[in-house]
Amino acid sequence: MFRKSLSLLVLPLLWAGTSLAQTAPTAFNQPRLDSLLTALDANHKLAGTFQLTQNGKVVYRRAIGQEQPGVPATTATRYRIGSVTKLFTATLIMQLVEEGKLKLDAPIATWFPTLPNAGKITVDQLLHHRSGLGDFTRDPAYGQFMSQTKTQAELLAIIQARPVDFEPGAKYDYNNSNYLVLGYLVEKLTKQPYAQALQKRITGKLGLKETYYGGRLDARKHEAASFNWDGKTWSIQPETDMSVPGGAGAITSTPTDLTRFIEGLFAGKLVKPATLLQMQTMQDNYGAGLMPIPFSDKQGYGHFGVIDGYRSALTYFPTDKLTVAYCGNGISSGYTVNDLMLGALAIYFNKPYRLPNFNAPTLTEAELSTYFGTYASTQMPLKITVTASGTTLMAQATGQSAFPLTPVSKTQFTYAAAGLTMDFDPTAHTFTLHQGANNILFTRE
């Protein structure tokens, strides 16, 4: 399924003290990033292609894992990108708005009169996931029909039969039906199949030869199968028929092409600057196909994607002119694409970072519970609450999101993305937080 495609990139730098704030940037540590990718490959955590591009120049590119069973992936391997497709669809819609063929406040009843609340739902609400339409990927039968060829009429009927979730505009709820409908709207207004509109309006303009509306997987085109690591081997995952995700998730691409796409978008090659600013205007942290993706003190924009065993991520940091792109086809437990993005950015920007330890001990819930509580320090005003989610120890600092801690031993835990280590003393009910040159003692209240 491709609906679980959003993942906020948040780095909880708990202590921005003098020693961190005054650290001067140094050269990109490529061997360290290589070590991270090598560890992920050796421990069967991810499979795919990762690329960093700064100011139009590729500074790092590497493929790990396999393209097809027994065939190693290369940097030319093509992957399904899932919901990163939504940024392409939003761009097509905003082009039509610029051309005067569409208004953002237009009710969708003009084109889709049978959909629930069609007279109330606007194009803008579809773009920002505020329509209230039922998500067709949450249909109980989705697992059965996802591999079947479906027509526009059939999929609209499925959406029509779903109960509405809320009144249009009432709130944000990420929903694939919104962008499926927007893809159909592109077809109605351009009088072309989505694939042709995509080629004419985006890929053709930017010379993206490896980006297109997907079909049945074709190994001759170096299209990757998707896999899941089951603890012993990489097993092939079921294949979604690309007639189903449409404008919400049907595009195939590579990190190189995704980089050219988002750089072209921000360079004004696809929409006007004022239109791009509209796309970046957030409603509940979602713009028009763009998510805000912060890292430390930097602000990026992009999208994440999931479909079958594929995972993708695309982020552009305008101030640094840095693009981070990942397309993957292998998933496992204990590590995510979000973790990779955080780790790679920390390494690139020379932030404190500890490589993940995949040989960590497993602690029981009872063992973890000895660390639960809220801790305070006389050295800084921040408080940290320690809890657990299942068998994963969690920490949450004042005003920040909770983050997972990885055990190095039964008393030492790390959060690699922030270069953070917490050494617990269960007898004294304390822990020492190590981050950069800072060593801060916290005591349980």
Side-chain angles (χ1 to χ4, degrees), residues 23-39:
T23 299
T26 56
F28 164 47
N29 190 341
Q30 180 175 328
R32 191 160 176 77
L33 185 52
D34 263 330
S35 295
L36 174 59
L37 271 293
T38 297

Side-chain angles (χ1 to χ4, degrees), residues 29-359:
N29 190 341
Q30 180 175 328
R32 191 160 176 77
L33 185 52
D34 263 330
S35 295
L36 174 59
L37 271 293
T38 297
L40 297 179
D41 192 20
N43 289 278
H44 314 292
K45 293 301 180 182
L46 289 177
T49 302
F50 180 79
Q51 180 171 311
L52 284 170
T53 306
Q54 204 278 323
N55 203 22
K57 180 182 178 181
V58 176
V59 295
Y60 187 88
R61 183 193 292 143
R62 182 175 172 186
I64 59 175
Q66 54 187 340
E67 178 178 290
Q68 292 284 339
V71 179
T74 72
T75 54
T77 298
R78 301 172 181 181
Y79 305 85
R80 293 182 174 182
I81 63 171
S83 287
V84 176
T85 298
K86 291 180 173 66
L87 181 51
F88 287 83
T89 300
T91 302
L92 292 170
I93 288 292
M94 297 307 289
Q95 287 176 340
L96 293 167
V97 171
E98 283 187 348
E99 294 163 14
K101 297 177 181 177
L102 182 65
K103 292 185 177 180
L104 291 176
D105 60 359
I108 64 172
T110 305
W111 307 279
F112 309 102
T114 62
L115 290 180
N117 287 329
K120 301 178 184 178
I121 296 170
T122 66
V123 173
D124 187 72
Q125 287 166 348
L126 292 178
L127 282 167
H128 291 87
H129 295 293
R130 303 179 71 86
S131 72
L133 288 174
D135 192 333
F136 75 99
T137 64
R138 298 173 192 168
D139 190 285
Y142 180 78
Q144 284 71 54
F145 72 71
M146 58 176 267
S147 60
Q148 303 169 8
T149 300
K150 290 290 182 182
T151 65
Q152 179 180 139
E154 288 173 327
L155 287 166
L156 287 173
I158 292 171
I159 297 173
Q160 183 178 340
R162 297 284 298 163
V164 297
D165 293 326
F166 50 85
E167 280 295 298
K171 65 178 183 177
Y172 162 88
D173 181 45
Y174 187 83
N175 180 331
N176 287 294
S177 291
N178 294 319
Y179 275 75
L180 184 70
V181 173
L182 286 171
Y184 293 156
L185 182 54
V186 168
E187 294 183 330
K188 288 180 180 293
L189 294 177
T190 62
K191 296 180 173 56
Q192 292 180 314
Y194 185 101
Q196 290 183 19
L198 176 70
Q199 197 285 325
K200 179 180 179 180
R201 292 173 165 270
I202 296 179
T203 62
K205 284 185 176 181
L206 298 178
L208 309 182
K209 297 181 180 180
E210 298 175 333
T211 302
Y212 47 85
Y213 192 106
R216 297 296 299 177
L217 286 176
D218 188 347
R220 296 169 300 178
K221 294 181 179 179
H222 294 288
E223 292 179 352
S226 71
F227 301 87
N228 177 65
W229 180 256
D230 62 12
K232 295 181 180 179
T233 187
W234 287 107
S235 57
I236 291 184
Q237 295 301 287
E239 179 184 340
T240 297
D241 189 280
M242 290 294 96
S243 65
V244 176
I251 290 178
T252 292
S253 190
T254 65
T256 297
D257 264 15
L258 289 182
T259 296
R260 291 171 180 163
F261 163 61
I262 201 165
E263 289 179 350
L265 176 64
F266 275 80
K269 296 179 180 179
L270 298 174
V271 296
K272 299 174 183 177
T275 301
L276 178 62
L277 189 61
Q278 277 185 288
M279 295 176 69
Q280 293 174 263
T281 302
M282 302 296 155
Q283 298 179 28
D284 291 320
N285 282 319
Y286 197 91
L290 280 171
M291 299 164 52
I293 303 178
F295 176 82
S296 186
D297 59 344
K298 301 177 184 298
Q299 182 62 62
Y301 298 91
H303 214 290
F304 289 76
V306 172
I307 189 166
D308 304 332
Y310 303 93
R311 300 292 185 269
S312 58
L314 178 63
T315 306
Y316 181 68
F317 293 88
T319 300
D320 298 276
K321 295 185 178 179
L322 177 73
T323 304
V324 189
Y326 173 80
C327 295
N329 64 325
I331 54 174
S332 181
S333 61
Y335 200 84
T336 68
V337 174
N338 199 57
D339 294 328
L340 170 61
M341 299 289 278
L342 284 168
L345 286 166
I347 291 169
Y348 183 79
F349 287 117
N350 297 294
K351 299 291 186 181
Y353 178 73
R354 185 189 296 267
L355 291 172
N357 176 15
F358 295 118
N359 298 309

Side-chain angles (χ1 to χ4, degrees), residues 325-394:
Y326 173 80
C327 295
N329 64 325
I331 54 174
S332 181
S333 61
Y335 200 84
T336 68
V337 174
N338 199 57
D339 294 328
L340 170 61
M341 299 289 278
L342 284 168
L345 286 166
I347 291 169
Y348 183 79
F349 287 117
N350 297 294
K351 299 291 186 181
Y353 178 73
R354 185 189 296 267
L355 291 172
N357 176 15
F358 295 118
N359 298 309
T362 300
L363 279 73
T364 66
E365 292 185 41
E367 288 174 315
L368 294 177
S369 67
T370 62
Y371 304 127
F372 292 178
T374 298
Y375 295 75
S377 174
T378 59
Q379 297 171 259
M380 60 185 298
L382 199 69
K383 291 187 178 183
I384 299 177
T385 299
V386 178
T387 57
S389 176
T391 57
T392 300
L393 198 65
M394 304 291 294

Side-chain angles (χ1 to χ4, degrees), residues 390-423:
T391 57
T392 300
L393 198 65
M394 304 291 294
Q396 184 169 17
T398 306
Q400 299 188 21
S401 300
F403 54 95
L405 295 169
T406 300
V408 176
S409 69
K410 290 195 173 184
T411 59
Q412 186 179 78
F413 297 78
T414 66
Y415 182 57
L420 176 156
T421 299
M422 293 166 66
D423 281 311

